[in-house]
Amino acid sequence: MIRVVVVDDEALVRSGFTMILQAADDIRVVATATGADAEREIALARPDVVLLDIRMPEVDGLTVLDRVLAGGSPPVVAMLTTFDTDEYIEAALAAGASGFLLKDTDPDQLVQSVRALAAGAVVLSPGAARPMIGGRLTADRRAAEREIAALTDRERDVLALVSEGLSNAEIGRELYLSPSTVKDHVSTVLGKLGVASRVRAALVAQLAGLGRDGS
């Protein structure tokens, strides 16, 4: 069972996300919170995944993210945003967020995203990813393509699946590799691209137009 905490200052958002996620047999929303009580509720509920609003009036999402990730055995945290040009997205990425979702994400996609996050995958809503692909992470498309060209064919295959949000185990099943081998490939890819996280690697892949077929 995947344990989830939803943090948002709007009661309607909290109740809506809870209703959608509770309909899944393998997901339970174990707590909801505003920014002000998020840290306490997360510590008490010990969730696997936290869906955290990036903008909140009392205690903002970046502050909550920093505090939660600083603790022992922190949960996976995905940021929620209403805006596809949110200037805080890059800061959340640098702070260690594992995903970014728009609040109007399709219900089925929301459920799949929570499952992917719990499995260790990167989750990037296309709308939320757009501002990060705007040029701050990689100078331009040609630069991203040059970085991708430095990878071996197998590494490009792995990166393409990382960019689709697959976990190491899922990539292993796709490519007939062990999870440990996939982990080694991912580490090599991060090193060659000069990025610190799977999220950043996925963004470089999206910028370069890298698809499942490596094109």
Side-chain angles (χ1 to χ4, degrees):
M1 189 67 65
I2 302 170
R3 298 168 58 83
V4 178
V5 170
V6 178
V7 180
D8 195 290
D9 270 33
E10 296 184 20
L12 186 59
V13 173
R14 296 196 303 271
S15 61
F17 273 51
T18 298
M19 181 178 65
I20 292 168
L21 295 174
Q22 291 279 99
D25 293 338
D26 58 339
I27 298 174
R28 286 292 174 270
V29 176
V30 293
T32 64
T34 64
D37 57 9
E39 190 177 1
R40 181 184 70 251
E41 291 296 332
I42 291 168
L44 290 173
R46 300 172 61 87
D48 304 300
V49 176
V50 175
L51 301 181
L52 174 61
D53 188 11
I54 203 167
R55 294 192 186 204
M56 293 181 289
E58 294 184 67
V59 180
D60 68 85
L62 294 179
T63 299
V64 174
L65 177 66
D66 285 339
R67 291 173 179 173
V68 169
L69 295 186
S73 301
V76 173
V77 181
M79 310 305 293
L80 302 173
T81 177
T82 307
F83 311 100
D84 62 2
T85 57
D86 199 317
E87 66 270 25
Y88 296 126
I89 288 179
E90 172 68 9
L93 173 63
S98 296
F100 300 87
L101 296 169
L102 294 180
K103 291 185 184 181
D104 61 358
T105 296
D106 177 81
D108 288 341
Q109 185 59 49
L110 175 63
V111 171
Q112 292 303 322
S113 294
V114 167
R115 289 171 177 155
L117 287 162
V122 172
V123 172
L124 294 169
S125 167
R130 191 174 300 116
M132 292 184 285
I133 303 176
R136 286 187 290 177
L137 299 183
T138 306
D140 54 28
R141 180 177 294 275
R142 280 188 298 242
E145 289 170 348
R146 287 195 297 271
E147 293 170 358
I148 298 297
L151 305 178
T152 66
D153 289 343
R154 176 58 80 194
E155 289 163 356
R156 281 195 292 273
D157 291 340
V158 169
L159 178 57
L161 296 175
V162 166
S163 73
E164 293 180 13
L166 273 65
S167 66
N168 286 350
E170 291 169 329
I171 293 171
R173 287 194 290 271
E174 288 277 344
L175 301 179
Y176 302 101
L177 300 172
S178 70
S180 61
T181 299
V182 174
K183 182 179 179 180
D184 289 341
H185 280 308
V186 171
S187 296
T188 300
V189 167
L190 297 185
K192 286 186 176 181
L193 296 181
V195 297
S197 71
R198 294 168 73 102
V199 178
R200 288 181 180 269
L203 290 168
V204 172
Q206 288 189 20
L207 185 62
L210 182 66
R212 179 181 284 257
D213 61 359
S215 59

